[in-house]
């Protein structure tokens, strides 16, 4: 077969040309791109789909951002179904607003884009001392976000256009002071209440279910006594640390790296300098700035004539209030501690030199270098461990993509075992027991990752015991696993969970009895019955740290107080029943700054109106969420059953 292909290359190329070109004509290049554009649609905005791939990429970016800002954040929280759904909602919101901007033709002009870029503090920091933009650093900024400068500007332009969609609502929302006061006074009022509780624990002793009742409860509620499906697995992890273990460094590379980086590795050079500052901020008029420059030039001439007078001149004339009393002394500092023009001038001078005028955003500086602290160069042996770590990290980063391809292909091509790829790439085959589809409370890290768990419990993995695909669970981290033993979900036998069944039934009956007793007491008290044994009065409000919380607090604050005392019953479910008596309504204490509070209320109104507008936009563009919102069970039956 392959000999035929080699001998008839031109014929095969012609046949492929006939097959491929019509496909491009019919489908188009974009059509081929869309084949691998990211899998199934998870949401739809108008006629545009949000794909699984886009969702995964957006969530990965969000996880990377959060990990960078909060390194100690539990990774399990970031990969929870709830966290992933929040990312999907944010992605859909961005699409809705972008669709609205296009539909309503809310464009951003070149002038508006230029003004936004000029006001961006990150871009402002890229300006040179002459005020021009450092184009190379600007390209690096865009590249760090995976964009070209043109792509970066297009994204900013789109963000500005999208911002206009909501600004018309948020910017025009208002709340009259009288309305704000009425709402806030009602919201923050206090109430004196008494609360009678009827707890299941008070009735549990009266419940003594028979074996027949236990069996009936078990048969009617078997879903409460399920053992979750579980699996014993073996798995391998490929990450940068694993790649580093395969790297062997030669002595020549280590010494060459030392020679090139010895000064940097030994420590940073520090300089001590004094300066005289004449203020001239960027908002100053040209005439005033010229006067400041002339004053600085006269001071420069003075210290050039008598260098020993520098400290005295600084004390009398420098407008830097921090250093002037010390003769302008700034103590030792390294690179990155001062504004760039000041730093460049200081590190270009010798000890004892006095600079020309140095202009910065603060004004005009006259700098004198008073000392230079050059760190002692450390020997090769002293730095060897650090050099090895640096070189291994660099080489591992370069090698990872190649090894990742080998790993991905290896676990697929030899799908009946992980040992061949582990031996080839010098990875450890690890094992884990009793792994569960929805995660195991005692498990964290790699084995808690939802993407890996979904792959482990996929039909192909469960039924055929094949390797999972290589799953990317973090940047530069791939995992593949294989089931060695699978236990399907099952209903636990009554004999095994009899004590749990008994406790559940007693709790249910006791809660029902507490509710019945509480409802009877409420009816009697409303009818005028004596209520002398109610607990002491407590004062509640919507402020933090209240003596009661949750549904009980909501009921106390929502009770109709047109006639006092007011009575309300609260069904607390498994916690029983409560009766709330509202005795008195207390007006709130006037706030110290009513205007500030009204402004905050206006922001709440604007936020509510904006959210209502967004809901209208979702209807307008026919948003469809094709993934069900994750819900938390009211109690964890699996844990109880185990």
């Amino acid at each position: 077969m392959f000999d035929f292909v080699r001998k008839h290359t031109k014929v095969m190329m012609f046949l492929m040309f006939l097959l491929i070109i019509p496909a491009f004509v019919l489908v188009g290049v974009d059509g081929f791109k869309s084949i691998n554009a990211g899998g199934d649609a998870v949401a739809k905005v108008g006629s545009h789909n949000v794909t699984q791939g886009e969702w995964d990429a957006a969530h990965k970016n969000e996880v990377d951002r959060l990990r960078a800002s909060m390194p100690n954040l539990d990774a399990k929280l970031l990969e929870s179904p709830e966290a992933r759904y929040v990312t999907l909602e944010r992605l859909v919101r961005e699409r809705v607003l972008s669709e609205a901007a296009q539909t309503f033709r809310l464009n951003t002009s070149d002038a508006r884009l230029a003004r936004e870029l000029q006001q961006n503090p990150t871009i402002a920091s890229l300006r040179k001392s002459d005020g021009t933009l450092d184009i190379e650093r600007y390209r690096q900024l865009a590249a760090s976000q995976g964009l070209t400068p043109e792509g970066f500007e297009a994204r900013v332009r789109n963000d500005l256009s999208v911002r206009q969609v909501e600004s018309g609502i948020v910017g025009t929302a208002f709340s009259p002071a009288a309305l704000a006061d009425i709402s806030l006074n009602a919201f923050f009022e206090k109430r004196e209440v008494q609360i009678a509780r009827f707890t299941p624990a008070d009735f549990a002793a009266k419940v003594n279910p028979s074996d027949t009742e236990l069996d009936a409860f078990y048969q009617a509620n078997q879903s409460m006594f399920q053992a979750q499906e579980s699996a014993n697995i073996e798995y391998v992890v490929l990450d940068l640390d694993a790649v580093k273990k395969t790297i062997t460094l030669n002595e020549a590379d280590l010494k060459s790296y030392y020679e090139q980086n010895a000064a940097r590795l030994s420590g940073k050079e520090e300089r001590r300098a004094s300066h005289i500052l004449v203020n001239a901020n960027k908002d100053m008029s040209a005439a005033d700035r010229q006067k400041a420059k002339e004053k600085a030039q006269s001071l420069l001439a003075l210290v050039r004539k008598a260098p020993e007078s520098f400290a005295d001149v600084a004390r009398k004339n420098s407008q830097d209030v921090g250093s002037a009393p010390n003769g302008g002394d700034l103590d030792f500092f390294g690179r990155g501690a001062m504004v760039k023009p000041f730093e460049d001038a200081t590190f270009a001078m010798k000890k004892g030199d006095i600079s020309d005028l140095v202009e910065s955003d603060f004004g005009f500086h006259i700098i004198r270098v008073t000392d230079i602290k050059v760190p002692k160069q450390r020997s090769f042996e002293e730095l060897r461990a650090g050099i090895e770590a640096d070189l291994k990290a660099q080489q591992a980063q370069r090698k990872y993509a190649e090894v990742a391809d080998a790993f991905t292909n290896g676990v697929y091509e030899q799908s009946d075992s992980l040992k061949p790829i582990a031996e080839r790439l010098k990875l450890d085959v690890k094992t884990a027991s009793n792994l569960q589809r929805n995660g195991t409370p005692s498990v964290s890290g790699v084995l808690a990752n939802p993407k890996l768990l979904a792959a482990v419990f996929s039909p192909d993995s469960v039924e055929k015991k094949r390797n999972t695909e290589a799953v990317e669970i973090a940047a530069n981290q791939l995992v593949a696993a294989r089931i060695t033993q699978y236990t399907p979900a099952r209903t636990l036998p009554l004999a095994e969970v009899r004590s749990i069944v008994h406790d559940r039934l007693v709790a249910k009956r006791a809660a029902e009895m507490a509710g019945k007793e509480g409802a009877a007491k409420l009816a009697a008290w409303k009818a005028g019955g004596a209520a002398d044994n109610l607990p002491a009065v407590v004062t509640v409000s919507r402020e933090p740290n209240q003596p009661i919380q949750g549904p009980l607090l909501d009921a106390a604050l929502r009770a109709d107080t047109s006639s006092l005392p007011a009575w309300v019953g609260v069904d607390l479910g498994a916690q029983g029943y409560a009766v709330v008596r509202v005795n008195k309504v207390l007006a709130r204490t006037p706030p110290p700054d009513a205007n500030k509070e009204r402004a905050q209320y206006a922001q709440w109104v604007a936020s509510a109106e904006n959210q209502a507008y967004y809901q209208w936009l979702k209807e307008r563009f026919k948003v469809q969420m094709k993934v069900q919102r994750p819900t938390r069970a009211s109690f964890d039956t699996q844990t109880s059953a185990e």
Side-chain angles (χ1 to χ4, degrees), residues 515-559:
K516 186 176 180 180
E517 178 71 11
K521 284 288 187 181
L522 174 63
W525 288 333
K526 278 187 173 181
D532 298 332
N533 296 324
L534 288 176
V537 171
V538 294
T539 302
V540 298
S541 71
R542 289 186 174 86
E543 295 176 357
N545 304 319
Q546 294 301 303
I548 58 175
Q549 298 292 337
L552 201 53
L553 179 61
D554 288 343
L557 295 172
R558 290 177 178 175

Side-chain angles (χ1 to χ4, degrees), residues 382-456:
E382 288 178 303
L383 296 172
R384 185 186 187 98
I387 291 172
E388 287 181 349
D390 284 352
L391 280 177
K392 281 190 175 183
Q394 292 174 16
Q395 292 188 23
Q397 191 69 56
R398 290 195 292 267
K399 189 178 178 182
Y400 179 81
E402 174 190 339
V403 178
D405 284 342
F407 181 83
T408 301
N409 295 333
V411 298
Y412 173 76
E413 291 165 356
Q414 293 178 284
S415 61
D416 59 342
S417 175
L418 292 171
K419 290 181 180 178
I421 193 63
E423 291 173 356
R424 178 182 168 191
L425 300 181
K426 299 180 181 179
L427 303 174
D428 296 327
V429 178
K430 303 176 182 179
T431 61
S433 302
N434 197 33
L435 202 65
Q436 298 176 352
R437 181 186 292 269
N438 296 321
T440 309
S442 60
V443 172
S444 60
V446 169
L447 298 178
N449 186 275
K451 291 168 67 176
L452 177 63
L453 292 175
V456 167

Side-chain angles (χ1 to χ4, degrees), residues 281-358:
N281 61 58
K282 57 185 178 182
D283 297 327
M284 187 178 285
S285 67
D288 289 341
R289 195 170 182 84
Q290 181 60 33
K291 288 179 182 178
K293 185 175 182 179
E294 290 171 358
K295 180 180 178 181
Q297 287 172 334
S298 66
L299 294 173
L300 175 60
L302 190 61
V303 296
R304 282 271 171 84
K305 284 184 180 179
E308 69 282 355
S309 68
F310 192 97
D312 189 50
V313 174
R315 271 189 288 269
K316 294 177 181 177
N317 297 279
S318 178
Q319 294 173 334
D320 178 1
V321 295
S323 67
N326 300 320
D329 182 35
L330 298 169
D331 209 339
F332 281 100
F333 57 87
R335 288 190 178 273
M338 301 294 179
V339 292
K340 196 169 187 309
F342 190 100
E343 175 189 296
D344 291 344
T346 303
F347 280 85
M349 295 161 62
K350 300 175 186 176
K351 182 177 178 179
D353 283 355
I354 295 175
S355 70
D356 293 327
L357 290 188
V358 176

